[in-house]
Amino acid sequence: MKIHEYQAREIMARYGLPVGGSDVATTPQEARAIAERVGRTVVVKAQVHVGGRGKAGGIKLAHTPAEAEAAAAAILGMEIKGLTVRKVMVAEAVDIAREFYLGIVMDRAARRVLMMASAEGGVEIETVAREKPEAIIRVAADPLLGLRDYHARQIAFGMGLPGPQALSFVPIATALYRCYVENDATLAEINPLVLTPAGEWRAVDSKILLDDSAISRHPDWPAYRDPDTEAPAEVEARAHDISYVKLDGEIGCMVNGAGLAMSTMDTIKLYGGAPANFLDIGGGARADKVAAALRIILSDPNVKAVLFNIFGGITRCDEVARGVVAALEEVKPTVPMVARLVGTNEVEGRAILAGARMLTATTMAEAAQKVVAVSRGGS
Ligand code: GDP
Ligand code: MN
């Protein structure tokens, strides 16, 4: 789950990371009021869930409250990488002498939490990794002891920091590690982490990704969600407790069970098609959920055909078939559809679908071949 910079900054502040004062505004007047409170040069920053805002014009320095108001007026409503800016953060500006990168991720291959740092800060780490991989220092935390001071010193010396800054870097690295672990993050990143001309550390840009699977442990997380930044299909999917991930292909997939959904996508690929989505309606899906799933699939203009692949276990095929028929009446799709129903009450299920204008199939291979054909205008 993505959260905004200002939210990541609040979390990092709780760990003593040097983020400086800031607040968030949705109007130029609010931005001006924050700048007045800060009482010195501020930076006005677009709050959207993408990086590269600086290059896109979404970050402006403002020396007076009036400038902050004008900067906010220019940035609010701006489009950055397809996202409309609805909020800006107004933060105390930082004097920058040097920019560094500091980030933490899970290294799944090594089964360790990995801290990465680079003296080539401000640039996206993927770019550094591609163009100058030797400039990235990587140090894995100990699975039992965590990230200790000696790990942090190893990173500091690896970046060539002079003695005093190498020492003052240590509590920043260990605080970011605690922030990552205690918040069930999948990424905690400061880019750039800055040295001021006075030799002090400042976190200029904060980014945290949260691990959705840990949501039950964090009752405060739903409040981080910003419906403005989410695709409407994803909001609707969550409201109906449907797992949905949009993909780039043409074949919409409605499947019960994550494993079946994955193998359905593989089979479509095998026969030369491309899935438009991953979608798991889950067990015991009723008509209203099936209808919601169909609406979500068809809201994607790329979808040229839909494949229903249902395994009737606890969910009975006839019940799903009734749900599909009700959904078709409600949604009235114009694209061709193929259904494969197997399992409990499959005969009854197919009989119900025979009345609807749908192609049917008995095996996954047959279903995939049929849906690939009809998605290309064949039959
Ligand atoms: P991003 O482009 O979305 O990653 O946004 P950042 O917050 O990382 O800002 C991009 C760049 O803008 C930074 O690398 C800095 O060079 C510059 N910048 C951001 N905040 C400040 C600030 O407070 N003072 C100064 N001088 N530059 C800033
Ligand atoms: Mn950045």
Side-chain angles (χ1 to χ4, degrees), residues 103-165:
I104 307 189
V105 292
M106 173 65 73
D107 181 344
R108 291 180 189 278
R111 294 181 286 174
R112 296 276 194 284
V113 172
L114 185 72
M115 179 163 271
M116 291 187 294
S118 168
E120 311 275 321
V123 184
E124 281 187 22
I125 196 68
E126 292 82 2
T127 312
V128 183
R130 208 167 44 240
E131 289 168 8
K132 214 176 162 192
E134 71 283 2
I136 302 177
I137 315 297
R138 297 160 204 267
V139 174
D142 186 286
L144 297 176
L145 304 175
L147 187 102
R148 312 295 293 197
D149 288 5
Y150 71 88
H151 291 122
R153 283 194 294 271
Q154 214 176 316
I155 295 166
F157 295 135
M159 287 195 292
L161 291 174
Q165 276 79 38

Coordinates of all heavy atoms in Angstrom, one line a residue, residues 103-165:
G103 N 17.9 3.7 1.9 CA 16.6 2.9 1.7 C 16.7 1.6 2.4 O 17.8 1.0 2.5
I104 N 15.6 1.0 2.7 CA 15.6 -0.4 3.2 C 14.5 -1.2 2.5 O 13.4 -0.7 2.3 CB 15.2 -0.4 4.7 CG1 16.1 0.5 5.5 CG2 15.3 -1.8 5.3 CD1 16.0 0.4 7.0
V105 N 14.9 -2.4 2.1 CA 13.9 -3.3 1.5 C 14.2 -4.7 2.0 O 15.1 -4.9 2.7 CB 14.1 -3.3 -0.1 CG1 13.7 -2.0 -0.7 CG2 15.5 -3.7 -0.5
M106 N 13.3 -5.6 1.6 CA 13.5 -7.0 2.0 C 14.2 -7.6 0.8 O 13.8 -7.5 -0.4 CB 12.1 -7.7 2.1 CG 12.1 -9.2 2.3 SD 13.0 -9.7 3.8 CE 11.7 -9.3 5.0
D107 N 15.3 -8.2 1.0 CA 16.1 -9.0 0.0 C 15.6 -10.4 0.1 O 16.1 -11.2 1.0 CB 17.6 -8.9 0.2 CG 18.4 -9.6 -0.8 OD1 17.8 -10.4 -1.5 OD2 19.6 -9.4 -0.9
R108 N 14.6 -10.8 -0.7 CA 14.0 -12.1 -0.5 C 15.0 -13.2 -0.8 O 14.9 -14.3 -0.2 CB 12.8 -12.2 -1.4 CG 11.7 -11.3 -1.0 CD 10.4 -11.4 -1.8 NE 9.5 -10.3 -1.4 CZ 8.7 -10.4 -0.4 NH1 8.7 -11.6 0.3 NH2 7.9 -9.4 0.0
A109 N 15.8 -13.0 -1.8 CA 16.8 -14.1 -2.2 C 17.7 -14.4 -1.0 O 18.0 -15.5 -0.7 CB 17.6 -13.7 -3.4
A110 N 18.2 -13.3 -0.3 CA 19.1 -13.5 0.8 C 18.4 -13.7 2.1 O 19.0 -14.0 3.1 CB 20.0 -12.2 0.9
R111 N 17.0 -13.5 2.1 CA 16.2 -13.7 3.3 C 16.7 -12.7 4.4 O 16.9 -13.2 5.5 CB 16.1 -15.1 3.7 CG 15.4 -15.9 2.7 CD 15.3 -17.4 3.1 NE 16.5 -18.1 3.0 CZ 16.7 -19.3 3.3 NH1 15.7 -20.0 3.9 NH2 17.9 -19.9 3.2
R112 N 17.0 -11.5 4.0 CA 17.5 -10.5 5.0 C 16.9 -9.2 4.7 O 16.5 -8.9 3.5 CB 19.0 -10.3 4.8 CG 19.9 -11.5 5.1 CD 20.2 -11.6 6.6 NE 21.3 -12.5 6.9 CZ 21.2 -13.8 6.8 NH1 20.1 -14.4 6.5 NH2 22.2 -14.6 7.1
V113 N 16.8 -8.4 5.7 CA 16.4 -7.0 5.5 C 17.7 -6.2 5.0 O 18.7 -6.3 5.7 CB 15.9 -6.3 6.7 CG1 15.7 -4.8 6.6 CG2 14.5 -7.0 7.1
L114 N 17.6 -5.5 3.9 CA 18.8 -5.0 3.3 C 18.7 -3.4 3.3 O 17.7 -2.8 2.9 CB 18.8 -5.4 1.8 CG 20.0 -5.0 1.0 CD1 21.3 -5.8 1.5 CD2 19.8 -5.2 -0.5
M115 N 19.8 -2.8 3.8 CA 19.9 -1.4 3.8 C 20.8 -1.0 2.6 O 21.8 -1.6 2.4 CB 20.5 -0.8 5.1 CG 20.6 0.7 5.0 SD 20.8 1.5 6.6 CE 19.1 1.8 7.1
M116 N 20.3 -0.1 1.8 CA 21.1 0.4 0.6 C 21.3 1.9 0.8 O 20.4 2.6 1.2 CB 20.3 0.2 -0.7 CG 20.1 -1.3 -1.0 SD 19.4 -1.5 -2.6 CE 17.8 -0.9 -2.3
A117 N 22.5 2.3 0.4 CA 22.8 3.7 0.5 C 23.7 4.1 -0.6 O 24.4 3.3 -1.2 CB 23.5 4.0 1.9
S118 N 23.7 5.4 -0.9 CA 24.5 5.9 -2.0 C 24.8 7.3 -1.9 O 24.0 8.1 -1.4 CB 23.8 5.6 -3.4 OG 24.5 6.3 -4.4
A119 N 26.0 7.7 -2.2 CA 26.4 9.2 -2.2 C 25.8 9.8 -3.5 O 25.9 11.1 -3.6 CB 27.9 9.3 -2.1
E120 N 25.2 9.0 -4.4 CA 24.6 9.6 -5.6 C 23.1 9.8 -5.3 O 22.3 9.1 -5.8 CB 24.7 8.6 -6.8 CG 26.1 8.1 -7.0 CD 26.9 9.1 -7.8 OE1 26.4 9.7 -8.8 OE2 28.1 9.3 -7.5
G121 N 22.8 10.7 -4.3 CA 21.4 10.8 -3.9 C 20.6 11.7 -4.8 O 21.1 12.3 -5.7
G122 N 19.3 11.8 -4.5 CA 18.4 12.7 -5.3 C 18.0 12.0 -6.6 O 16.9 12.3 -7.1
V123 N 18.8 11.1 -7.1 CA 18.5 10.4 -8.3 C 17.7 9.1 -7.9 O 18.0 8.6 -6.8 CB 19.8 10.0 -9.1 CG1 19.5 9.3 -10.4 CG2 20.7 11.2 -9.2
E124 N 16.8 8.6 -8.8 CA 16.1 7.4 -8.4 C 17.1 6.2 -8.4 O 18.0 6.1 -9.2 CB 15.0 7.1 -9.5 CG 13.8 7.9 -9.2 CD 12.6 7.6 -10.0 OE1 12.5 6.5 -10.5 OE2 11.7 8.5 -10.1
I125 N 17.0 5.4 -7.3 CA 18.0 4.4 -7.1 C 18.1 3.4 -8.2 O 19.1 2.8 -8.5 CB 17.7 3.7 -5.7 CG1 18.9 2.9 -5.3 CG2 16.5 2.8 -5.8 CD1 20.1 3.7 -4.9
E126 N 16.9 3.2 -8.9 CA 17.0 2.3 -10.1 C 17.9 2.8 -11.1 O 18.6 2.0 -11.8 CB 15.6 2.1 -10.7 CG 14.5 1.4 -9.9 CD 13.9 2.3 -8.8 OE1 14.2 3.5 -8.8 OE2 13.1 1.8 -8.0
T127 N 18.0 4.1 -11.3 CA 18.9 4.7 -12.3 C 20.3 4.5 -11.8 O 21.2 4.1 -12.7 CB 18.6 6.2 -12.4 OG1 17.2 6.3 -12.6 CG2 19.3 6.8 -13.6
V128 N 20.6 4.7 -10.5 CA 22.0 4.5 -10.0 C 22.4 3.0 -10.2 O 23.5 2.7 -10.7 CB 22.1 4.9 -8.5 CG1 23.5 4.7 -8.1 CG2 21.6 6.3 -8.3
A129 N 21.4 2.1 -9.9 CA 21.7 0.7 -10.0 C 22.1 0.3 -11.5 O 22.9 -0.6 -11.7 CB 20.5 -0.1 -9.6
R130 N 21.4 1.0 -12.4 CA 21.7 0.7 -13.8 C 23.0 1.3 -14.3 O 23.8 0.6 -14.9 CB 20.5 1.2 -14.6 CG 20.2 0.5 -15.9 CD 18.9 0.9 -16.5 NE 18.7 2.3 -16.5 CZ 17.6 2.9 -15.9 NH1 16.7 2.1 -15.3 NH2 17.4 4.2 -16.0
E131 N 23.2 2.5 -13.9 CA 24.3 3.3 -14.5 C 25.6 3.2 -13.7 O 26.7 3.4 -14.3 CB 23.9 4.7 -14.8 CG 22.9 4.8 -15.9 CD 22.2 6.1 -16.0 OE1 22.6 7.1 -15.3 OE2 21.2 6.3 -16.8
K132 N 25.5 3.1 -12.4 CA 26.7 3.1 -11.6 C 26.5 2.2 -10.4 O 26.5 2.7 -9.2 CB 26.9 4.6 -11.1 CG 28.3 5.0 -11.0 CD 28.5 6.4 -10.6 CE 29.9 6.7 -10.1 NZ 29.9 8.0 -9.5
P133 N 26.3 0.9 -10.6 CA 26.0 0.0 -9.6 C 27.0 0.0 -8.4 O 26.6 -0.3 -7.3 CB 25.9 -1.4 -10.3 CG 26.5 -1.2 -11.6 CD 26.4 0.2 -12.0
E134 N 28.2 0.3 -8.7 CA 29.3 0.2 -7.7 C 29.1 1.4 -6.7 O 29.7 1.3 -5.6 CB 30.7 0.3 -8.3 CG 31.1 1.6 -8.9 CD 30.5 1.8 -10.3 OE1 29.7 1.0 -10.8 OE2 30.8 2.9 -10.9
A135 N 28.2 2.3 -7.0 CA 28.0 3.5 -6.1 C 27.0 3.1 -5.0 O 26.7 3.9 -4.1 CB 27.5 4.7 -6.9
I136 N 26.4 1.9 -5.1 CA 25.4 1.6 -4.1 C 26.0 0.6 -3.0 O 26.6 -0.4 -3.4 CB 24.2 0.8 -4.7 CG1 23.5 1.7 -5.7 CG2 23.1 0.5 -3.6 CD1 22.3 1.1 -6.5
I137 N 25.9 1.1 -1.8 CA 26.5 0.3 -0.7 C 25.3 -0.6 -0.1 O 24.2 0.0 0.1 CB 27.0 1.2 0.5 CG1 27.8 2.3 0.0 CG2 27.7 0.3 1.5 CD1 29.1 1.9 -0.7
R138 N 25.5 -1.9 0.0 CA 24.4 -2.7 0.5 C 24.9 -3.5 1.7 O 26.0 -4.1 1.7 CB 24.1 -3.8 -0.5 CG 23.5 -3.3 -1.8 CD 23.7 -4.4 -2.9 NE 23.7 -3.7 -4.2 CZ 22.7 -3.6 -5.0 NH1 21.5 -4.1 -4.6 NH2 22.8 -3.0 -6.2
V139 N 24.1 -3.4 2.8 CA 24.5 -4.1 4.0 C 23.2 -4.7 4.6 O 22.2 -4.0 4.8 CB 25.1 -3.1 5.1 CG1 25.3 -3.8 6.4 CG2 26.4 -2.6 4.6
A140 N 23.3 -6.0 4.8 CA 22.1 -6.8 5.3 C 22.1 -6.7 6.8 O 23.1 -6.8 7.5 CB 22.2 -8.2 4.8
A141 N 20.9 -6.5 7.4 CA 20.7 -6.5 8.8 C 20.8 -8.0 9.3 O 20.6 -8.9 8.6 CB 19.4 -5.9 9.2
D142 N 21.2 -8.2 10.5 CA 21.3 -9.5 11.1 C 19.8 -9.9 11.5 O 19.1 -9.2 12.1 CB 22.1 -9.5 12.4 CG 22.3 -10.8 13.0 OD1 21.3 -11.4 13.6 OD2 23.4 -11.4 12.8
P143 N 19.4 -11.1 11.1 CA 18.0 -11.5 11.3 C 17.6 -11.5 12.8 O 16.5 -11.3 13.1 CB 18.0 -13.0 10.7 CG 19.1 -13.1 9.9 CD 20.2 -12.1 10.3
L144 N 18.6 -11.8 13.7 CA 18.3 -11.8 15.1 C 18.6 -10.5 15.8 O 17.8 -10.1 16.6 CB 19.1 -13.0 15.8 CG 18.7 -14.4 15.3 CD1 19.7 -15.4 16.0 CD2 17.3 -14.7 15.6
L145 N 19.7 -9.9 15.4 CA 20.1 -8.7 16.1 C 19.6 -7.4 15.5 O 19.7 -6.3 16.1 CB 21.7 -8.6 16.2 CG 22.3 -9.9 16.8 CD1 23.8 -9.8 16.7 CD2 21.9 -10.0 18.3
G146 N 19.1 -7.5 14.3 CA 18.7 -6.3 13.6 C 19.8 -5.5 13.0 O 20.9 -6.1 12.7
L147 N 19.6 -4.2 12.7 CA 20.6 -3.4 12.1 C 21.3 -2.7 13.2 O 20.8 -1.9 13.9 CB 20.0 -2.4 11.1 CG 21.1 -1.6 10.3 CD1 21.3 -2.2 8.9 CD2 20.8 -0.1 10.3
R148 N 22.6 -3.1 13.5 CA 23.4 -2.6 14.6 C 24.2 -1.4 14.2 O 24.4 -1.1 13.0 CB 24.3 -3.7 15.2 CG 23.6 -5.0 15.4 CD 22.5 -4.9 16.4 NE 23.0 -4.6 17.8 CZ 22.4 -4.8 18.9 NH1 21.1 -5.2 18.9 NH2 23.0 -4.6 20.1
D149 N 24.8 -0.7 15.2 CA 25.6 0.4 14.9 C 26.8 0.1 13.9 O 27.1 0.9 13.1 CB 26.2 1.0 16.2 CG 25.1 1.7 17.0 OD1 23.9 1.7 16.6 OD2 25.5 2.4 18.0
Y150 N 27.3 -1.1 14.1 CA 28.5 -1.4 13.2 C 28.1 -1.6 11.8 O 28.8 -1.3 10.9 CB 29.2 -2.7 13.7 CG 28.5 -4.0 13.6 CD1 28.7 -4.8 12.5 CD2 27.7 -4.5 14.6 CE1 28.0 -6.0 12.3 CE2 27.1 -5.7 14.5 CZ 27.2 -6.5 13.4 OH 26.6 -7.7 13.3
H151 N 26.8 -2.1 11.5 CA 26.3 -2.1 10.2 C 26.2 -0.7 9.6 O 26.6 -0.4 8.5 CB 24.9 -2.7 10.1 CG 24.8 -4.1 10.4 ND1 24.0 -4.6 11.5 CD2 25.3 -5.2 9.9 CE1 24.1 -5.9 11.5 NE2 24.9 -6.3 10.5
A152 N 25.7 0.2 10.4 CA 25.5 1.6 10.0 C 26.9 2.3 9.7 O 27.0 3.0 8.7 CB 24.8 2.4 11.0
R153 N 27.9 2.0 10.5 CA 29.2 2.5 10.3 C 29.8 2.0 9.0 O 30.5 2.7 8.2 CB 30.2 2.2 11.5 CG 29.9 3.1 12.7 CD 31.0 3.0 13.7 NE 31.1 1.7 14.3 CZ 30.4 1.4 15.5 NH1 29.6 2.3 16.0 NH2 30.6 0.2 16.0
Q154 N 29.6 0.7 8.8 CA 30.0 0.1 7.5 C 29.5 0.8 6.3 O 30.2 1.1 5.3 CB 29.5 -1.4 7.5 CG 30.3 -2.4 6.9 CD 29.7 -3.8 7.0 OE1 29.1 -4.1 8.1 NE2 29.6 -4.6 6.0
I155 N 28.2 1.2 6.4 CA 27.6 1.9 5.3 C 28.2 3.3 5.2 O 28.5 3.8 4.1 CB 26.0 2.1 5.5 CG1 25.4 0.7 5.5 CG2 25.4 3.0 4.5 CD1 24.0 0.6 6.0
A156 N 28.3 4.0 6.3 CA 28.9 5.4 6.3 C 30.2 5.4 5.7 O 30.5 6.2 4.9 CB 28.9 5.9 7.8
F157 N 31.1 4.5 6.1 CA 32.5 4.5 5.6 C 32.4 4.1 4.1 O 33.2 4.6 3.3 CB 33.4 3.5 6.4 CG 33.6 4.0 7.8 CD1 33.5 3.2 8.9 CD2 33.8 5.4 8.1 CE1 33.6 3.6 10.2 CE2 34.0 5.9 9.4 CZ 33.9 5.0 10.4
G158 N 31.5 3.2 3.8 CA 31.4 2.8 2.3 C 31.0 3.9 1.5 O 31.4 4.0 0.3
M159 N 30.2 4.9 2.0 CA 29.9 6.1 1.2 C 31.0 7.1 1.3 O 30.9 8.2 0.7 CB 28.6 6.7 1.7 CG 27.4 5.9 1.4 SD 25.8 6.8 1.6 CE 25.8 7.0 3.4
G160 N 32.0 6.9 2.1 CA 33.2 7.8 2.2 C 32.8 9.0 3.0 O 33.4 10.1 2.8
L161 N 31.9 8.9 4.0 CA 31.6 10.0 4.9 C 32.8 10.4 5.8 O 33.4 9.4 6.3 CB 30.4 9.7 5.7 CG 29.0 9.6 5.0 CD1 28.0 9.1 6.0 CD2 28.6 10.9 4.4
P162 N 33.0 11.7 6.0 CA 34.1 12.0 7.0 C 33.6 11.7 8.4 O 32.4 11.5 8.7 CB 34.2 13.5 6.8 CG 32.9 14.0 6.1 CD 32.4 12.8 5.3
G163 N 34.6 11.5 9.3 CA 34.3 11.0 10.7 C 33.1 11.5 11.4 O 32.2 10.7 11.8
P164 N 33.0 12.9 11.6 CA 31.8 13.4 12.3 C 30.5 13.0 11.7 O 29.5 12.6 12.4 CB 32.0 14.9 12.3 CG 33.4 15.1 11.9 CD 33.9 13.9 11.1
Q165 N 30.4 13.1 10.3 CA 29.1 12.7 9.7 C 28.9 11.2 9.7 O 27.8 10.8 9.7 CB 29.1 13.3 8.2 CG 28.7 14.7 8.2 CD 29.8 15.7 8.5 OE1 30.9 15.4 8.2 NE2 29.5 16.7 9.2

